[in-house]
């Protein structure tokens, strides 16, 4: 009986992936064709539009796909308030940390080709990382620099358990003096590999494998992708992920013919109207994605994209690694990526209750503990400018939501988005 049950679970998993293996581009259908309510989705539209009317954000774009079909793709507000430019569905956004999922897939492609193993120490590919140090906090508030207990592995990078933050840990003064803090790299007039090499000499925030520390992990991973593939990160992901999937509007730096589509970044402060972010605005503003040096390909936060492009990427993952007739990953690799690798190892995963972390994605483990609508196995993440996404394998659902707002002044749009999407599912 146990063998029968296990066999049927395996069969259901195979049928799930096979059911999507023939899926082509994300065609649009009426919500009712895939078990959702157009009438109920109007509640979502009214809410997203109200954020704009209330002056809490300049605009946004939301896309929902179910069973491989787009049933909602709408834009609200303005892409540039001062210029009077309306937000359109094909607006291009700075997706910041949503870059991490794409670069994580790049690393897994290389494992499938036998060019690396995620169990490998990163010093195998980046010699300067063979031995690292950690800033150990003393009782008096200071810190001692001690040797790392073990080598950092590629899996540590994928799961953010390498102990590497964004330069604001115990040794933040040393990181500041090295000119390496925060996630913004578009202004750097040097390849990302040079920045990462200098990073290796600085004290990390925690011992490898002991804590979930969100930081430069995927930037380092991107350099490993370059070393293992023999290509720039830009060239590798374009050839192996973006082009096969049809992500035609996803770039590290925008081509000249697309610059008018880049949504403007705004800042929200309590008691004040929205402010246009400074230009270039190091770290939060309009950025160097148009006129910058175009030398640093940040695997952790460097890409720009559209809602449709990113939905295609997520659909590929839901399809078990294939989209539009092109296989990017095997189903077993996708299964490994969307399994919990952090909470299951006893590593605390911040304050995100009911969730763990996989290879590039946060993973829902317990819906009740999380306290929001959703399904076990949902994988997701977001970006610094306020974008977010999730893919729900149980409901066969992809949701992408883009805006450009940093800081956000506590806007509650993410929680409402989640509630309003799921309340529209009727069958």
């Amino acid at each position: 009986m146990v063998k029968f049950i296990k066999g049927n679970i395996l069969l259901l998993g195979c049928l799930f992936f096979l059911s999507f293996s023939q899926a082509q581009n994300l065609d649009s259908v009426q919500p009712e064709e895939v078990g959702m309510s157009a009438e109920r989705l109007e509640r979502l539209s009214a809410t997203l539009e109200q954020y704009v009317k209330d002056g809490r954000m300049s605009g946004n774009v939301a896309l929902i796909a179910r069973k491989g079909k787009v049933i909602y793709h709408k834009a609200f507000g303005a892409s540039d308030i001062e210029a009077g430019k309306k937000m359109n569905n094909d607006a291009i956004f700075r997706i910041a940390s949503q870059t991490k999922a794409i670069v994580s897939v790049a690393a897994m492609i290389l494992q499938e080709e036998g060019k690396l193993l995620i169990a490998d120490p990163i010093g195998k590919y980046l010699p300067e990382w063979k031995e690292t140090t950690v800033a150990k906090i003393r009782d008096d508030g200071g810190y001692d620099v001690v040797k790392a207990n073990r080598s950092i592995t590629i899996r540590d990078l994928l799961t953010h358990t390498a102990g590497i933050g964004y330069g604001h840990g115990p040794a933040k003064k040393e990181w500041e003096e090295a000119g390496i803090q925060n996630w913004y790299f578009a202004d750097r007039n040097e390849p990302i590999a040079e920045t990462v090499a200098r990073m290796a000499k600085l004290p990390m925030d925690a011992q490898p494998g002991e804590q979930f520390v969100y930081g430069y992990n995927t930037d380092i991973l991107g350099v490993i992708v370059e070393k293992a593939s023999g290509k720039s990160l830009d060239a590798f992901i374009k050839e192996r992920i973006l082009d096969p999937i049809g992500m035609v509007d996803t770039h590290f730096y925008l081509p000249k013919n697309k610059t008018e589509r880049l949504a403007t970044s705004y800042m929200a402060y309590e008691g004040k109207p929205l402010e246009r972010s400074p230009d270039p605005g190091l770290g939060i503003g309009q950025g160097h994605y148009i006129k910058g040096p175009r030398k640093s390909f940040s695997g952790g936060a460097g890409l720009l994209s559209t809602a449709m492009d990113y939905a295609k990427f997520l659909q590929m993952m839901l399809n078990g690694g294939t989209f539009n007739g092109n296989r990017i990953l095997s189903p077993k690799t996708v299964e490994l990526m969307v399994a919990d690798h952090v909470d299951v190892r006893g590593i605390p995963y911040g304050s995100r209750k009911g969730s763990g972390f996989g290879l590039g994605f946060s993973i829902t483990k317990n819906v009740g503990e999380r306290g929001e609508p959703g399904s076990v196995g949902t994988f997701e993440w977001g970006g610094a400018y306020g974008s977010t996404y999730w893919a729900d394998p149980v409901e066969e659902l992809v949701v992408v939501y883009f805006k450009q707002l940093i800081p956000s002044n506590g806007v509650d749009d993410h929680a409402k988005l989640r509630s309003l999407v799921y309340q529209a599912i009727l069958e």
Side-chain angles (χ1 to χ4, degrees):
M1 177 62 74
V2 172
K3 288 183 178 179
F4 175 79
I5 293 172
K6 286 183 176 179
N8 275 275
I9 291 173
L10 179 61
L11 176 61
L12 285 171
C14 291
L15 288 174
F16 169 73
F17 285 129
L18 287 172
S19 69
F20 286 114
S21 65
Q22 304 303 317
Q24 298 300 305
N25 261 325
L26 290 170
D27 297 324
S28 296
V29 299
Q30 292 300 310
E32 283 73 16
E33 292 185 40
V34 291
M36 295 187 73
S37 166
E39 181 181 0
R40 281 178 166 260
L41 284 170
E42 286 303 310
R43 299 173 182 175
L44 173 60
S45 297
T47 301
L48 295 182
E49 189 169 28
Q50 194 63 48
Y51 285 117
V52 175
K53 290 180 178 179
D54 291 344
R56 304 194 70 184
M57 64 182 70
S58 59
N60 55 69
V61 174
L63 186 151
I64 305 169
R66 196 178 191 210
K67 301 182 187 296
K69 304 293 183 182
V70 174
I71 55 92
Y72 187 97
H73 189 193
K74 294 187 178 182
F76 302 91
S79 66
D80 189 315
I81 296 172
E82 292 78 12
K85 290 172 60 178
K86 181 182 177 182
M87 184 72 78
N88 294 316
N89 284 346
D90 68 348
I92 296 173
F93 294 81
R94 304 157 189 80
I95 64 171
S97 287
Q98 290 187 214
T99 306
K100 290 177 170 68
I102 295 173
V103 175
S104 297
V105 166
M108 301 310 291
I109 289 172
L110 291 170
Q111 174 164 279
E112 289 192 343
E113 293 178 346
K115 293 180 179 177
L116 60 75
L117 289 170
I118 64 172
D120 287 339
I122 65 176
K124 180 177 179 179
Y125 306 91
L126 309 176
E128 59 272 19
W129 285 86
K130 285 185 177 179
E131 292 185 4
T132 58
T133 60
V134 175
K136 184 178 180 180
I137 300 175
R138 300 193 302 261
D139 291 339
D140 63 5
Y143 66 89
D144 297 314
V145 177
V146 300
K147 287 185 177 181
N149 294 336
R150 65 165 175 81
S151 299
I152 296 170
T153 67
I154 294 175
R155 188 189 187 198
D156 292 330
L157 297 180
L158 285 159
T159 57
H160 292 275
T161 56
I164 304 167
Y166 272 125
H168 296 282
K172 61 183 178 182
K173 287 187 178 180
E174 294 186 47
W175 287 77
E176 183 180 9
E177 290 170 0
I180 306 175
Q181 281 184 322
N182 304 322
W183 46 266
Y184 188 83
F185 281 78
D187 63 317
R188 292 183 180 270
N189 194 24
E190 65 178 5
I192 186 73
E194 292 183 16
T195 313
V196 164
R198 296 202 311 276
M199 195 182 295
K201 300 175 183 178
L202 300 169
M204 308 304 157
D205 294 0
Q207 290 288 347
E210 293 188 2
Q211 294 182 37
F212 179 90
V213 181
Y214 194 60
Y216 290 119
N217 301 273
T218 320
D219 291 293
I220 302 166
L221 183 66
V223 179
I224 292 174
V225 168
E226 292 185 333
K227 297 291 185 182
S229 69
K231 299 180 180 180
S232 70
L233 183 62
D234 183 38
F236 185 81
I237 67 169
K238 185 177 189 303
E239 176 186 331
R240 303 303 303 276
I241 301 173
L242 306 182
D243 285 352
I245 293 176
M247 297 173 69
V248 297
D249 287 323
T250 301
H251 309 275
F252 280 104
Y253 300 96
L254 282 183
K256 289 183 179 179
N257 65 340
K258 297 183 181 182
T259 58
E260 289 299 312
R261 292 166 56 193
L262 181 62
T264 302
S265 176
Y266 288 89
M267 303 179 292
Y269 296 104
E270 187 174 358
K272 295 182 178 180
L274 290 178
E275 297 179 24
R276 188 184 185 93
S277 298
D279 192 357
L282 305 184
I284 65 169
Q286 309 316 319
H288 296 78
Y289 300 106
I290 296 173
K291 297 181 180 179
R294 297 175 177 249
K295 288 187 178 180
S296 186
F297 302 126
S298 166
L303 285 174
L304 308 110
S305 191
T306 63
M308 180 59 78
D309 265 18
Y310 211 83
K312 291 177 181 178
F313 172 74
L314 295 175
Q315 191 64 54
M316 177 275 294
M317 293 294 292
L318 273 190
N319 292 353
T322 187
F323 186 81
N324 206 23
N326 293 308
R327 179 160 294 285
I328 309 300
L329 293 172
S330 75
K332 294 303 292 184
T333 295
V334 173
E335 182 181 325
L336 179 65
M337 293 188 74
V338 299
D340 171 36
H341 291 247
V342 173
D343 186 57
V344 71
R345 290 156 61 198
I347 300 172
Y349 177 41
S351 60
R352 192 178 285 247
K353 300 296 184 181
S355 298
F357 202 88
L359 304 181
F361 304 92
S362 178
I363 313 296
T364 297
K365 296 181 67 178
N366 186 308
V367 176
E369 188 175 10
R370 176 161 179 164
E372 293 181 313
S375 304
V376 172
T378 295
F379 51 97
E380 62 194 290
W381 204 239
Y385 293 91
S387 59
T388 192
Y389 70 84
W390 72 87
D392 182 331
V394 176
E395 296 295 342
E396 304 172 33
L397 184 73
V398 164
V399 179
V400 180
Y401 174 66
F402 283 167
K403 70 176 190 287
Q404 303 282 257
L405 188 66
I406 178 173
S408 65
N409 190 28
V411 65
D412 59 358
D413 52 341
H414 287 192
K416 287 188 176 179
L417 173 74
R418 200 172 191 96
S419 176
L420 291 167
V421 168
Y422 280 105
Q423 62 86 33
I425 297 175
L426 300 183
E427 59 184 51

PDB file of all heavy atoms in Angstrom, residues 48 219 222 340:
ATOM      1  N   LEU A  48      -5.983  48.759  -6.786  1.00  0.00           N
ATOM      2  CA  LEU A  48      -4.720  49.221  -7.364  1.00  0.00           C
ATOM      3  C   LEU A  48      -4.846  50.648  -7.899  1.00  0.00           C
ATOM      4  O   LEU A  48      -3.916  51.443  -7.808  1.00  0.00           O
ATOM      5  CB  LEU A  48      -4.268  48.268  -8.472  1.00  0.00           C
ATOM      6  CG  LEU A  48      -3.923  46.849  -8.022  1.00  0.00           C
ATOM      7  CD1 LEU A  48      -3.452  46.017  -9.209  1.00  0.00           C
ATOM      8  CD2 LEU A  48      -2.860  46.853  -6.925  1.00  0.00           C
ATOM      9  N   ASP A 219      25.091  37.981  -6.140  1.00  0.00           N
ATOM     10  CA  ASP A 219      26.102  38.687  -6.918  1.00  0.00           C
ATOM     11  C   ASP A 219      27.351  37.821  -7.057  1.00  0.00           C
ATOM     12  O   ASP A 219      27.954  37.736  -8.131  1.00  0.00           O
ATOM     13  CB  ASP A 219      26.450  40.018  -6.251  1.00  0.00           C
ATOM     14  CG  ASP A 219      25.309  41.016  -6.322  1.00  0.00           C
ATOM     15  OD1 ASP A 219      24.988  41.463  -7.438  1.00  0.00           O
ATOM     16  OD2 ASP A 219      24.727  41.326  -5.276  1.00  0.00           O
ATOM     17  N   GLY A 222      26.653  35.030  -9.435  1.00  0.00           N
ATOM     18  CA  GLY A 222      26.734  35.452 -10.823  1.00  0.00           C
ATOM     19  C   GLY A 222      28.150  35.383 -11.365  1.00  0.00           C
ATOM     20  O   GLY A 222      28.371  35.040 -12.540  1.00  0.00           O
ATOM     21  N   ASP A 340      12.337  23.448   0.457  1.00  0.00           N
ATOM     22  CA  ASP A 340      12.928  24.238   1.532  1.00  0.00           C
ATOM     23  C   ASP A 340      14.310  23.693   1.864  1.00  0.00           C
ATOM     24  O   ASP A 340      14.470  22.502   2.129  1.00  0.00           O
ATOM     25  CB  ASP A 340      12.029  24.194   2.764  1.00  0.00           C
ATOM     26  CG  ASP A 340      12.678  24.812   3.986  1.00  0.00           C
ATOM     27  OD1 ASP A 340      13.410  25.812   3.818  1.00  0.00           O
ATOM     28  OD2 ASP A 340      12.476  24.306   5.097  1.00  0.00           O
TER      29      ASP A 340
END
